[in-house]
Each structure stands twice: as structure tokens, then as C-alpha cells.
Amino acid sequence: AEDKDYIKVKDSVGEGFKYSGVTGAKTTGIPLADLKTIGEKICALPDTFSLHPKAESPIKNRREAIKKEDGVEYCLAEGLAFGSLANEGFNIRLTGEDVQRGTFSQRHAVLIDSKTGDKHMPLAYVSKEQGHVTIENSALTEYGCCGYETGYAFGNHDTLVMWEAQFGDFANGAQIVFDQYISSMEQKWFVQNPIIISLPHGYDGQGPEHSSSRLERFLSSSDDTATVPANFNLKAEGQELLDLSESRIQEMNWQVCYTTRPSNYYHVLRRQMLRSFRKPLIHAFAKSGVRAPNLSPLSEMAEGTTFRHVITTEAAEKVRKVIFCTGHIERKLRAMLEAERKSTSNATLHNDVMFAVVEQISPFPWEHIGKVIEQNPEAKLVWLQEEPQNMGCWQYVRPRMNNLVQHMKGDQSFRIPFIGRA
């Protein structure tokens, strides 16, 4: 329905969430002192607990990161988001194959005493009044588990419900749930659902097996417009820009995000629950980004901070080229560039190239990308991805990037070049 003001929905938690016009966005950072307190709690263990030697190092590193207020890795940021939401009264429910440890030994949310076999989940001990936290490994059935969690989320809007695929392509087994229910339930049945679908994604130097969560499928099911919105506003800043972005999410069928920085992962999780409406989130993350050197300072999650739709890297005052991309390919290319600068003793090599990492792909962040283009008027614009043209984000972003530049610069012949696999 185009006008959703009339929709009234009741669910098992009472009145539920319903449209009442555009809702304002909230900043998702919390006071630094609260972050440190929660961080200390989720890294704490009972005095008699015998931690497995392989788990000692990551837990020790997390404690150091909280103490130094720097060096927060991906799943510590996740723990801070879960812990802070639970502390605010929300319930947390994470399921999937091997989610307690994490497929890539990255999460360590549930620890096992190496002597007694007893389990300990630090997130359950953030505070006495906290929400309930459930982190459970599921059976090897993506269709069954994802379908169940979708139904659970539908009836529990005060619970952050996340189903995580062991590998991105394992989502293939739950395709019916995505197509028949999650992507279309609001349009068909006028109901909202906060389910989060967490998908590992990225080639990481390997072949096609387990490498792709098929982002193109989710993007092709997004009902986001490919033309520049009528309310496009490059002058919007701060809260006005946040509100504008949230209003577009509210009107679309779901969100597709691919966060790279731990701090941005923290914000996208908290944003999911703090808003006044509910919307499914398809969230991709890179396997290579779940540990160092991909780290964030605690200050990027503190009070006054919020989700960043597009993240740009530092460059020379006059930028020659802006490379738009998603995911870990930006981090890998910057590492290669740094190595080349050292080997050639040329510290300024290609310092006129800027990376613009699109963290929220759909709904398309028109103003955020527009500001990057506006601030670099003479730069060449390109799109980079590690997937071939028929995969990844290319088919989704190409018409939107073309229409945006044509709208801003009046050049109807503009076509953004593609860089990726043949």
C-alpha cells in the first residue's frame, strides 16, 4: 500500500508496531562509561572457570580493548550491542549452526569449562534487570531454523532475533522463507518483522564454494526505487539526514547492509531495535573482517555516534578517483597499497584515490553518496567489487549511481565504470 498510515496491527505482545507517519531516528551510541562497564561484564568469568587455552587469547584481547578503549574487534562490538540492548530491557535471541563459538572461532559467546564441561554465557550477567539472552546452536536445517526464527520474531517485537548461516551460501536452503515470507509479508499481510539474517560473505582468495551469500538475490527483491527520490536533499545534515534515511527504510520491504567496521556493526544492531518500527535486516559480513587488524575504537560507539551509511577513507586534498565499493575488498586493497608504498619508498603513491564503502546498500543511501560526489566534483567515479557483473551489488547500484550523477551534474551520458571479475 502506498499510504500506510491506516495500518493497524495487533500481535502477541499487545498493540504491536504500526505506521503513524514518518518516525524520527535515534542516535545509537551510549555513554563511554556504560560501554566499559558492559564490556567488562561480557568478558568476565567465574573464578573457578577453566577456560580452554585456545579461547584465552581472544578473551584476553577483549579485556585489553575495553581497558584501553581501543582495539574492539567485530564480535566484541556485537557483544557490546547485545549487552547494551539487554541492559535496556530488550531480549536477545541468536540461533544458527555453531553460533555459540562462531563458525570462524570468532564469537566465543558461550564458553565451556575445559575440566567440567559446564557452559557459561557472560551476556546473561550484564545486570539483574536485563532482558533474556538466548544463544543456541541449531540443527543442520536452514529452512526449518530460519523459518522458525522468522515466526518467533513476528510475535516478539521486543526481541532482537538473528539467524546466522554457517556460510553465506547455506542461505540457499532457506530461500523459500526469504521469497515467500520475509521480503513480502508487510506488503501482503500488513505486518512488520524485525528478523535479522546474518550471512558470511566474501571470496577471501578462495573459489565459489561457501564464498557468496548471493547479495544480488536479496537486492533484486528490494522494492527500493531506482530513480532519485522526490525528497532528495543534499543539504540535509545531522538529525535531519538521519530522519530522512529512516523514513525511507520505513517505507521499503527490508534493509540490506554489509558492514565492515566493528563499530558500524554495533550501530546497525542497536538501530534495529531502538527505532519505533520494525523491518527485516539482511546483514552480510566478511569472514576476513571478524578479527584484527579490523578494529574500532570504543569512542566510535559512544554517546553521540550513530550508524554510518557510507564510510570514506582519507585521501589527498584533491581527489583524482573515488572508488565506490562494499565489504572487505577496500581493506584488502588499502593493505596492498600500503605494502607497495613501502616497497617503492613512495609514501604518497596513489594518495589521491579515495575509497567510499557503502555500508547500507538498500534502501540506497542517496544523500550520503551524493555528498561524496559533491565534495569531489572533478574525481573519476568507479564501482569496484570482487564478484562478476551478474553477482554482488552491481546490477542494483548501477542504475542508481547513474541516475544520481545524471541528476546532480546534468550529464545524461554518464555511466559508472565497473571493476571486478569478468
Side-chain angles (χ1 to χ4, degrees):
E2 292 182 3
D3 183 3
K4 299 182 180 179
D5 290 344
Y6 67 88
I7 297 174
K8 303 285 185 181
V9 178
K10 286 192 176 182
D11 57 29
S12 60
V13 296
E15 183 66 15
F17 290 81
K18 56 183 177 292
Y19 286 98
S20 58
V22 176
T23 56
K26 296 181 180 179
T27 57
T28 43
I30 65 174
L32 189 61
D34 293 346
L35 275 173
K36 295 190 71 171
T37 298
I38 294 169
E40 291 166 359
K41 293 286 184 66
I42 64 177
C43 294
L45 295 172
D47 294 337
T48 58
F49 195 88
S50 297
L51 191 61
H52 192 282
K54 288 190 176 181
E56 287 180 356
S57 179
I59 299 301
K60 179 183 177 182
N61 290 340
R62 291 176 184 182
R63 289 172 180 157
E64 286 296 312
I66 295 299
K67 183 179 179 180
K68 296 178 179 178
E69 303 179 9
D70 198 8
V72 176
E73 42 86 3
Y74 212 76
C75 283
L76 176 54
E78 177 187 80
L80 290 169
F82 287 170
S84 59
L85 287 170
N87 196 45
E88 294 168 32
F90 293 100
N91 301 317
I92 308 295
R93 181 179 174 86
L94 168 61
T95 60
E97 298 156 13
D98 202 14
V99 295
Q100 293 183 338
R101 181 197 64 162
T103 300
F104 316 108
S105 298
Q106 83 277 16
R107 182 168 283 123
H108 303 292
V110 177
L111 301 164
I112 299 176
D113 190 305
S114 59
K115 293 182 179 179
T116 66
D118 293 338
K119 290 185 176 182
H120 178 72
M121 183 171 63
L123 276 165
Y125 301 94
V126 174
S127 67
K128 292 182 179 179
E129 298 80 20
Q130 71 174 73
H132 186 70
V133 179
T134 301
I135 300 178
E136 291 290 344
N137 296 333
S138 72
L140 300 177
T141 165
E142 291 79 19
Y143 181 44
C145 186
C146 183
Y148 181 87
E149 297 306 319
T150 300
Y152 189 96
F154 168 71
N156 295 273
H157 283 172
D158 284 333
T159 301
L160 184 151
V161 181
M162 183 160 76
W163 173 74
E164 184 169 280
Q166 192 168 28
F167 291 92
D169 57 351
F170 283 22
N172 291 335
Q175 194 64 43
I176 297 171
V177 182
F178 305 139
D179 291 345
Q180 193 68 21
Y181 299 99
I182 300 178
S183 67
S184 56
M185 64 169 57
E186 189 169 357
Q187 182 71 19
K188 292 191 291 188
W189 304 313
F190 303 141
V191 294
Q192 299 187 21
N193 194 306
I195 184 74
I196 301 175
I197 306 298
S198 178
L199 304 171
H201 183 81
Y203 280 72
D204 295 310
Q206 301 180 35
E209 183 70 1
H210 294 350
S211 63
S212 175
S213 63
R214 293 291 182 177
L215 282 174
E216 64 275 6
R217 290 180 183 172
F218 298 102
L219 292 170
S220 68
S221 296
S222 298
D223 61 359
D224 182 22
T225 177
T227 57
V228 179
N231 62 348
F232 176 69
N233 182 9
L234 265 184
K235 295 181 180 179
E237 298 283 354
Q239 188 63 45
E240 183 184 7
L241 183 55
L242 276 176
D243 291 346
L244 184 59
S245 301
E246 282 291 282
S247 69
R248 297 213 182 107
I249 293 173
Q250 186 175 0
E251 292 299 315
M252 302 304 158
N253 63 330
W254 61 15
Q255 316 148 84
V256 181
C257 294
Y258 188 175
T259 60
T260 57
R261 275 56 169 179
S263 57
N264 229 25
Y265 180 39
Y266 160 91
H267 285 297
V268 82
L269 291 175
R270 285 185 53 79
R271 182 180 78 165
Q272 185 74 356
M273 300 308 296
L274 293 180
R275 55 168 58 120
S276 59
F277 61 92
R278 294 293 179 254
K279 193 71 59 172
L281 168 63
I282 310 301
H283 178 262
F285 68 94
K287 294 168 282 186
S288 63
V290 295
R291 49 179 61 87
N294 185 27
L295 305 169
S296 293
L298 210 57
S299 60
E300 290 184 358
M301 293 164 262
E303 193 170 19
T305 59
T306 191
F307 178 75
R308 292 182 288 172
H309 297 69
V310 177
I311 297 176
T312 56
T313 59
E314 292 184 5
E317 185 175 345
K318 186 174 182 179
V319 175
R320 174 176 57 87
K321 179 185 290 187
V322 177
I323 301 176
F324 289 94
C325 60
T326 61
H328 69 140
I329 193 169
E330 165 261 339
R331 185 172 58 253
K332 291 196 169 187
L333 285 182
R334 284 201 297 120
M336 292 171 60
L337 183 55
E338 285 299 319
E340 188 175 355
R341 285 170 178 167
K342 289 181 179 178
S343 65
T344 59
S345 300
N346 185 355
T348 61
L349 182 66
H350 299 310
N351 71 341
D352 54 357
V353 175
M354 172 188 288
F355 288 92
V357 188
V358 182
E359 302 271 299
Q360 178 182 297
I361 310 163
S362 178
F364 193 69
W366 297 95
E367 284 78 12
H368 299 83
I369 291 179
K371 288 179 184 295
V372 176
I373 297 171
E374 184 182 50
Q375 291 163 7
N376 302 281
E378 298 180 19
K380 181 180 180 181
L381 311 177
V382 300
W383 177 264
L384 167 71
Q385 64 179 40
E386 59 179 348
E387 302 94 342
Q389 290 189 27
N390 67 329
M391 296 171 62
C393 304
W394 171 243
Q395 296 297 334
Y396 175 85
V397 302
R398 178 173 59 174
R400 290 163 176 82
M401 289 294 296
N402 289 342
N403 288 336
L404 177 59
V405 175
Q406 290 170 11
H407 175 82
M408 291 179 61
K409 296 188 175 184
D411 180 6
Q412 299 305 308
S413 65
F414 176 83
R415 300 292 185 272
I416 189 165
F418 171 85
I419 303 174
R421 280 180 167 83

